Amino acid sequence: MSITRTQSRRTFLKTGAAVAAAALVHPRAGLANENESLQITPPLRQFGYGEVELLEGPLREQFDRNHAFYRALDEDSLLKPFRQRAGLPAPGEEMGGWYSWAPLSDIDKPGNNGFAPGHSFGQYLSGLARDYAATGDKATQAKVHRLVSGFGPAITSHFWDDHRFPAYTYDKISIGMIDAHEFAGDPNAFKALDAALDSVTKLLPPGGISRAEEFARPHRDESFCWDEPYTLPENFFLSWQRGAGSRYKVMGHHFLADSWYWDPLAAGENVLPGKHAYSHVNAMSSAMQAYFVLGDEKYLRGARNGFDFVRAQSFATGGWGPNEEFRKPGSGDIGESLTRTHSSFETPCGSYAHFKITRYLLRTTKDSRYGDSMERVLYNCILGVKPIKEDGHGFYYSDYNNDGSKVYHPYKWHCCTGTFSQVTADYGISSYFGDDEGVYVNLFVPSRVTWKRGSDRVSLVQRTDYPHRPSTQIEVATDKSAAFAVFVRIPEWAGPKTTIAVNGKRAASSPTPGQFARIQRTWKRGDRIEVEFDMPTTLQAVDPQHSKVVAAVHGPLALFAVGEIPDAVRPEELASVAQVTDGSTNWQAKTATGNIAMRPFTAISDEHYRLYLNVEV
């Protein structure tokens, strides 16, 4: 639903409430029958969580650490804000920070500020369900089931009294419940999902309205205008697909932000400047689900154009949105942010949204450049996040300021503690995709993917120190010889010396950068693919208005200067940066005035650093 120029706000609000109510009373209103299926099935399928195993390496280490951390969270504390409002016994300690109830006047006070009570419960549940699906750990599954059972009786309409963010918080609850059902086999999850929707429906904004439209409605204070209803369709549509009922499809359609977001984006109009960065990228996944469910190519165009606008103002790391806001193209604001803020990229949240939309677009288009974009955010952003502390203090912003450092956010249990649990759980499913022809290798990470081809089981085992060493080896294991294709992503930045060999024999021609290289043959156990990447070093300006402020990027890896940093360097000196030893995370650029030490984001701890340097010609 959208507001037309001839429709008054009062009419819009009344109509929006009526449609939402109809979704509850008449679950098939305006749509086809329950037997309908997706209008669009993406050409590439996503492997299941249990079909991809991360092997020893940085991704597995971060995954295991997060799995253990979230599995150890106190269940009574997680359920406490819901039980308190339901009038139920509420044992357990207050978690504090964003998560617990506090007076509305405490929004900007450190400590127990009650910004969004219970907001991340569903994300912790979602992450644990995915972790169980990836590992088969029965203790994790049991925890998911206990949390669902505890949540069901505790979610009532009273929970939403004085809650600033009903859409934002319900959205996270919904993904937790449908993931608990889908990935942890919870028999009570849909009942709890229905209870959550019943409790919140009358309090949801009237459709996928913008923040400007929220400000136009009566509101208690500014913070009550920060809700994010435009992200709701993705999980509504997923709820319907997973069998929760047809009313979820109705609600998904109702909350699509057509007039102010998808219509202009589909027409090629950049409406991102001034908008909240993470939530509006997250909403692009709603457009992709709308495309799959409704079959309207407008949503695919909107998501593709929107993501192109994001990439056009991204940092060299792949991160975006300084101070959580998109900027006007041509303004020079991205470059100016290097001296004006330390809040350069909302890292766990932004990375989660980035991984989702690039997976959707890659599966739909088979365009390998979406994999390139995902890879850049992986190595330069999320993989370098500091571990969450036991008290709930977590990493929030990557800092690209000229005097940057890694710090913990002052508030506990903020939004990035929720998405952090999900994005690391999704590493495996982001690494490979498949179709009837074969398997697509998207990320070069130590891992094993296993699937059935007919009645036979096939595995690829990937071993690599990429990107610190420019190569990967992929071994094939099959029950018996099988003919299929292996598609290997060749990054757009790859140089002309990039090669692919099978069992030691190199292909006659070089693979094409920016495409998946197809390797078709009858495979037998022990066959081996070896890829050697020609990794150039490029200098990338922060924006066109600051052409002499550049970052050194080697292949996908942005390099940060640490220690003594000169006021300016010559471009050829910075471009000559090299590893101190083979495979090292220590790099060095030799200049006329001395050497500059450089490191990737994953190798930076508490030292100060600088991503962008001034170059002189």
Side-chain angles (χ1 to χ4, degrees):
M1 170 168 294
S2 60
I3 299 178
T4 65
R5 292 181 179 176
T6 59
Q7 188 178 31
S8 71
R9 181 166 60 86
R10 177 179 296 179
T11 301
F12 170 66
L13 299 183
K14 288 173 64 178
T15 305
V19 172
L24 298 178
V25 180
H26 305 292
R28 296 183 184 84
L31 293 171
N33 62 48
E34 288 182 339
N35 296 321
E36 62 186 336
S37 59
L38 290 180
Q39 296 296 310
I40 302 293
T41 300
L44 295 183
R45 79 173 183 92
Q46 187 170 287
F47 284 101
Y49 287 91
E51 293 180 298
V52 184
E53 178 188 4
L54 296 174
L55 303 179
E56 183 178 353
L59 278 74
R60 181 61 190 244
E61 179 183 349
Q62 193 181 52
F63 169 86
D64 284 343
R65 184 171 59 239
N66 269 4
H67 182 194
F69 177 85
Y70 292 101
R71 186 177 55 194
L73 289 177
D74 183 81
E75 293 164 26
D76 285 329
S77 294
L78 289 171
L79 292 165
K80 193 176 186 76
F82 304 98
R83 287 169 167 167
Q84 287 172 322
R85 287 300 178 92
L88 297 173
E93 295 184 5
E94 297 275 7
M95 292 175 67
W98 283 26
Y99 197 84
S100 299
W101 291 104
L104 293 175
S105 58
D106 287 353
I107 183 173
D108 289 322
K109 295 180 181 178
N112 189 29
N113 73 316
F115 182 71
H119 71 108
S120 49
F121 172 83
Q123 292 175 307
Y124 304 149
L125 187 66
S126 167
L128 285 167
R130 298 175 191 194
D131 288 345
Y132 164 69
T135 64
D137 179 68
K138 291 296 185 180
T140 302
Q141 183 188 35
K143 187 181 188 75
V144 169
H145 287 205
R146 289 192 300 270
L147 288 170
V148 171
S149 294
F151 175 84
I155 185 63
T156 70
S157 60
H158 295 299
F159 175 75
W160 306 105
D161 294 343
D162 293 328
H163 202 297
R164 299 179 182 90
F165 313 118
Y168 174 89
T169 303
Y170 169 77
D171 195 32
K172 292 161 178 50
I173 290 170
S174 68
I175 190 62
M177 293 303 153
I178 64 175
D179 280 359
H181 175 271
E182 183 80 359
F183 304 128
D186 192 291
N188 298 312
F190 282 170
K191 183 178 179 180
L193 177 68
D194 285 340
L197 182 54
D198 291 342
S199 75
V200 77
T201 299
K202 293 181 180 179
L203 299 170
L204 291 176
I209 62 176
S210 68
R211 289 199 172 178
E213 291 168 336
E214 289 191 77
F215 273 95
R217 303 173 68 203
H219 54 273
R220 185 178 304 186
D221 61 44
E222 179 182 349
S223 68
F224 281 80
C225 301
W226 298 342
D227 209 359
E228 299 172 1
Y230 41 85
T231 70
L232 285 167
E234 180 190 18
N235 290 328
F236 274 134
F237 285 136
L238 283 172
S239 298
W240 168 71
Q241 290 171 53
R242 294 179 183 180
S246 58
R247 69 166 171 168
Y248 292 92
K249 182 176 181 180
V250 176
M251 296 292 275
H253 191 274
H254 171 63
F255 280 93
L256 286 168
D258 286 344
S259 65
W260 62 271
Y261 204 39
W262 303 124
D263 289 343
L265 281 178
E269 179 185 350
N270 186 357
V271 292
L272 291 180
K275 289 183 171 56
H276 181 248
Y278 159 64
S279 65
H280 286 84
V281 173
N282 194 32
M284 293 175 190
S285 291
S286 285
M288 292 305 298
Q289 278 296 333
Y291 172 60
F292 299 155
V293 171
L294 305 176
D296 188 339
E297 290 197 4
K298 171 181 73 177
Y299 297 108
L300 174 60
R301 292 196 308 273
R304 293 185 72 169
N305 291 343
F307 190 70
D308 284 345
F309 292 140
V310 171
R311 287 196 295 179
Q313 61 169 270
S314 294
F315 294 99
T317 61
W320 31 263
N323 285 335
E324 302 188 29
E325 184 179 284
F326 287 119
R327 308 305 174 93
K328 184 178 179 180
S331 66
D333 279 356
I334 304 299
E336 295 297 327
S337 74
L338 303 180
T339 59
R340 294 179 178 175
T341 184
H342 291 272
S343 304
S344 304
F345 177 48
E346 191 180 357
T347 306
C349 283
S351 298
Y352 179 59
H354 200 101
F355 268 58
K356 280 200 302 174
I357 187 57
T358 49
R359 276 201 307 272
Y360 279 132
L361 288 170
L362 176 54
R363 290 177 59 206
T364 302
T365 67
K366 296 187 178 182
D367 188 336
S368 68
R369 289 173 294 182
Y370 294 114
D372 296 355
S373 184
M374 180 191 296
E375 170 184 82
R376 186 165 290 210
V377 168
L378 170 64
Y379 293 116
N380 301 312
C381 301
I382 188 63
L383 200 57
V385 165
K386 281 178 171 284
I388 188 171
K389 292 184 176 181
E390 288 187 9
D391 66 359
H393 282 102
F395 191 89
Y396 198 117
Y397 294 114
S398 290
D399 179 3
Y400 307 143
N401 189 278
N402 288 342
D403 181 24
S405 61
K406 289 184 178 181
V407 299
Y408 285 97
H409 197 272
Y411 294 144
K412 300 189 297 182
W413 305 113
H414 52 69
C415 56
C416 284
T417 67
T419 46
F420 197 18
S421 73
Q422 295 172 292
V423 68
T424 55
D426 287 354
Y427 282 160
I429 65 164
S430 303
S431 300
Y432 302 91
F433 302 95
D435 64 9
D436 290 341
E437 292 187 84
V439 62
Y440 288 68
V441 181
N442 182 47
L443 296 179
F444 308 117
V445 298
S447 53
R448 177 186 291 107
V449 58
T450 303
W451 73 101
K452 280 291 190 80
R453 189 162 182 84
S455 59
D456 299 320
R457 197 174 77 152
V458 182
S459 293
L460 299 184
V461 179
Q462 189 173 184
R463 296 182 174 87
T464 182
D465 290 322
Y466 181 97
H468 306 298
R469 288 188 171 90
S471 62
T472 191
Q473 295 79 42
I474 304 166
E475 185 173 320
V476 180
T478 64
D479 291 339
K480 61 182 181 182
S481 297
F484 59 91
V486 177
F487 298 85
V488 178
R489 180 176 58 84
I490 305 300
E492 198 168 27
W493 48 256
K497 296 180 181 179
T498 297
T499 60
I500 296 177
V502 178
N503 297 332
K505 183 178 180 180
R506 288 189 175 182
S509 59
S510 298
T512 303
Q515 295 183 12
F516 281 98
R518 177 189 177 114
I519 310 166
Q520 176 74 52
R521 60 182 280 131
T522 298
W523 301 94
K524 62 182 184 300
R525 180 176 293 274
D527 281 346
R528 188 178 69 258
I529 302 168
E530 296 172 318
V531 187
E532 295 286 339
F533 297 97
D534 180 5
M535 281 192 182
T537 298
T538 59
L539 303 183
Q540 299 182 13
V542 65
D543 62 26
Q545 292 70 41
H546 297 83
S547 60
K548 295 182 180 180
V549 181
V550 303
V553 180
H554 184 74
L557 205 59
L559 298 172
F560 295 72
V562 296
E564 293 294 324
I565 303 171
D567 292 334
V569 297
R570 297 189 65 80
E572 62 270 20
E573 293 173 336
L574 187 57
S576 68
V577 65
Q579 287 171 304
V580 173
T581 58
D582 179 49
S584 174
T585 57
N586 290 314
W587 292 67
Q588 192 175 80
K590 297 181 179 180
T591 76
T593 57
N595 297 333
I596 304 173
M598 306 189 80
R599 294 174 190 158
F601 195 59
T602 53
I604 291 173
S605 181
D606 297 320
E607 65 272 37
H608 284 233
Y609 58 79
R610 185 168 176 175
L611 173 60
Y612 287 94
L613 303 183
N614 298 318
V615 295
E616 56 187 14
V617 179

